[in-house]
Amino acid sequence: MPFLGIRFKLSFVSFLLVTAVIAVSSVAVMGIMDRFLLGELVKRGTSLSRGAANTAAFGLLAHDRLVVDNLVAKLKERQPDVLYVAAVDHDGIITAHSDLRKNGARYEQKAPAKVISRDVDGTMVTLDSRGGRDIYEFSTPIRFAARKIGSLHLTIDGVTLVDARGDARRMVALASGLILVVAVLASYYLAGFFTTPIKKLQEGVSQLRSGKYQGALTVKLHDELGELTSNFNQMAQVIVQQQDKLEEYAHGLEESYLATVKILATSIDARDDYTLRHSTRVAALSVMLGQQLGLHTEELRDLEVAALVHDLGKIRIPDKVLKKAAPLNEEELEMVRLHTRHGAEILSHSRALQRFVPAVLYHHEWYDGQGYPEGLKGAEIPLFAKIIAIADAYDAMTTSRPYRSGLPAAIAINEITRYSGSQFEPALVDLFVRSLGQPNHAIPQLMLRLSA
């Protein structure tokens, strides 16, 4: 099936490789993006914290709470993700807080869950979790003249970082998906460069195998596949030439084979002047009946040959018996009955003729089991033997012999009909009688064909 072809497999392998590379790359990129975004958050928070600490220093020295309160309020207002800002003096008392209710209270700084960074100027960034949310706190010393006079505490909601990371992941996923689609399409397209020549080669091999080779394949590539295609064309040309020679040789053998069969049949018939061309007439009648049965060409050809050699065993019957003008005695009849076994034995020595043994051996069997040589009956008797039996009997009855004249066709037909169900198969008898009732030119045409 096409979806299991090499092109599909190459594309599928490429898909797996590209997917693995993109997955690893995406994980690496997301890790880098996470660190970058966290770094940017730290930089922004540190910058805000330092700037606010420097401004708050003047307010603390001047004991001007209004300056510090205004600073804290403006910072909270301009930075939506800032949760709170607190300025604490050197005694730990909150001098200004974005939540005015906490002014004047002692600043309680909890132990952080994780320290993110600590700068040389003393700014410390910590990570804590409150209510299931990450909180980043920036603590910067407030100094004046290298003396610490307090500290500024600024917290940023971690949801900002989470949202930024989510946006970055979606962008990475989208970019990865687009790259994957482009890579798969590109790999499928590129795979065609390799699989198309291979497919052409496969079609060429199939054509050679089926005997329908349509000529050399076009060589479009100048690489190993192109060289393989050129070698295939040369090989195919040699094979086609050899096939032509073999067909010619086989045709000659077939002609020799048929000529040999016809010579055998003619030689058998020629031993008895009264049965001259008997085998040819039996073959014509048999083929006529075979056509009525709907046998195809090859079966009719085999039936024709089997009928031509059906009396081959008579070669071993002495002339004094074969040409005897008077009726045969029991011993002579037994000698004649052996001709079926003799014929089968002669044919068995040739591999090409062995398939005709059953028809030759059993063409004197009777439908009711009273025939010879083995007393077969009904369906046990091969079809060709049944057909030849009817044709043989009809020709024997309508041919004149020294001790009797040939019977008219009508009487011979009545005799065959009378023995329907005993000597002959009824269905074949009906077809045979019906065939003889057709225009008289049917049998002479077959005889001309057989004797040509």
Side-chain angles (χ1 to χ4, degrees):
M1 300 174 71
F3 62 87
L4 293 179
I6 295 178
R7 188 172 188 177
F8 171 82
K9 292 176 181 177
L10 285 175
S11 301
F12 183 69
V13 171
S14 300
F15 168 76
L16 293 180
L17 291 175
V18 171
T19 301
V21 171
I22 290 177
V24 173
S25 301
S26 297
V27 171
V29 169
M30 288 178 182
I32 295 173
M33 291 291 293
D34 287 348
R35 290 191 293 273
F36 172 78
L37 292 172
L38 177 59
E40 290 299 305
L41 177 67
V42 170
K43 288 179 182 179
R44 184 169 70 91
T46 300
S47 177
L48 290 173
S49 180
R50 286 176 180 174
N54 291 335
T55 304
F58 297 100
L60 289 177
L61 286 173
H63 300 287
D64 188 351
R65 292 185 56 182
L66 183 60
V67 172
V68 180
D69 286 340
N70 185 60
L71 170 66
V72 170
K74 291 292 184 183
L75 185 61
K76 178 69 174 65
E77 180 183 349
R78 293 174 181 176
Q79 302 294 329
D81 58 339
V82 173
L83 295 177
Y84 70 84
V85 181
V88 181
D89 62 18
H90 65 281
D91 294 324
I93 303 301
I94 301 174
T95 61
H97 198 289
S98 54
D99 184 356
L100 297 177
R101 294 172 299 177
K102 295 183 179 182
N103 288 341
R106 177 169 293 278
Y107 184 76
E108 299 293 339
Q109 186 172 8
K110 298 180 181 179
K114 180 180 180 181
V115 176
I116 302 298
S117 66
R118 188 189 298 270
D119 291 347
V120 293
D121 65 349
T123 300
M124 183 174 66
V125 183
T126 61
L127 171 64
D128 201 357
S129 179
R130 299 175 189 175
R133 295 163 56 179
D134 289 340
I135 304 297
Y136 293 88
E137 182 171 349
F138 298 82
S139 300
T140 302
I142 300 176
R143 288 188 175 91
F144 183 81
R147 181 170 64 89
K148 181 178 180 181
I149 61 174
S151 60
L152 188 124
H153 301 274
L154 179 147
T155 59
I156 297 179
D157 192 349
V159 71
T160 302
L161 181 60
V162 172
D163 292 342
R165 285 174 174 174
D167 292 339
R169 281 176 167 78
R170 282 190 289 273
M171 292 178 62
V172 171
L174 178 60
S176 299
L178 291 175
I179 293 173
L180 180 61
V181 171
V182 172
V184 169
L185 293 177
S187 64
Y188 184 79
Y189 177 74
L190 291 175
F193 285 103
F194 300 98
T195 58
T196 298
I198 295 175
K199 185 177 180 180
K200 293 294 183 182
L201 286 171
Q202 187 269 335
E203 291 175 355
V205 171
S206 298
Q207 291 172 4
L208 273 178
R209 183 176 57 188
S210 62
K212 299 178 181 179
Y213 184 61
Q214 299 176 353
L217 302 178
T218 303
V219 180
K220 295 183 178 180
L221 302 176
H222 300 285
D223 53 14
E224 290 84 351
L225 285 175
E227 184 178 354
L228 179 61
T229 304
S230 298
N231 291 336
F232 170 79
N233 288 334
Q234 297 175 8
M235 179 192 70
Q237 186 177 5
V238 173
I239 292 175
V240 170
Q241 291 174 351
Q242 293 296 327
Q243 284 179 337
D244 292 339
K245 291 180 180 178
L246 287 174
E247 288 178 1
E248 183 179 352
Y249 179 67
H251 182 71
L253 286 178
E254 184 73 9
E255 291 297 326
S256 300
Y257 159 72
L258 292 177
T260 301
V261 171
K262 291 178 181 179
I263 290 172
L264 282 174
T266 303
S267 299
I268 297 167
D269 292 345
R271 293 189 59 200
D272 186 353
D273 294 338
Y274 296 98
T275 59
L276 185 62
R277 299 181 64 79
H278 166 70
S279 297
T280 302
R281 292 192 298 271
V282 171
L285 292 168
S286 298
V287 170
M288 178 189 68
L289 182 51
Q291 289 175 331
Q292 292 297 315
L293 280 172
L295 300 182
H296 58 71
T297 304
E298 289 300 320
E299 290 177 317
L300 291 174
R301 187 183 185 85
D302 286 348
L303 175 60
E304 175 186 328
V305 175
L308 285 172
V309 297
H310 78 282
D311 279 340
L312 178 61
K314 289 184 177 180
I315 289 178
R316 294 185 179 178
I317 300 177
D319 285 346
K320 64 179 182 179
V321 176
L322 189 63
K323 298 182 179 181
K324 185 177 180 181
L328 303 179
N329 58 37
E330 189 61 34
E331 181 181 354
E332 292 169 338
L333 281 174
E334 189 59 33
M335 291 178 62
V336 171
R337 286 172 180 167
L338 287 175
H339 81 279
T340 58
R341 294 192 182 274
H342 293 324
E345 180 187 350
I346 294 171
L347 292 176
S348 66
H349 293 297
S350 170
R351 183 174 299 178
L353 298 175
Q354 284 179 359
R355 64 180 183 274
F356 306 118
V357 168
V360 172
L361 181 60
Y362 301 123
H363 72 276
H364 279 295
E365 297 286 0
W366 281 34
Y367 186 73
D368 62 2
Q370 299 301 312
Y372 64 88
E374 296 182 7
L376 302 182
K377 62 181 179 180
E380 298 174 346
I381 307 172
L383 176 62
F384 284 6
K386 294 177 184 178
I387 293 174
I388 294 172
I390 296 175
D392 187 28
Y394 178 82
D395 187 72
M397 285 188 288
T398 55
T399 301
S400 297
R401 306 299 295 269
Y403 51 87
R404 65 165 175 80
S405 299
L407 297 176
I411 296 178
I413 290 174
N414 288 336
E415 285 297 304
I416 288 177
T417 303
R418 188 160 68 93
Y419 281 91
S420 176
S422 56
Q423 184 174 354
F424 310 115
E425 180 171 324
L428 294 179
V429 169
D430 293 341
L431 280 177
F432 183 74
V433 173
R434 194 181 310 150
S435 300
L436 291 178
Q438 293 179 356
N440 293 329
H441 67 271
I443 297 177
Q445 282 186 350
L446 289 169
M447 292 173 64
L448 288 173
R449 179 176 66 84
L450 291 166
S451 60

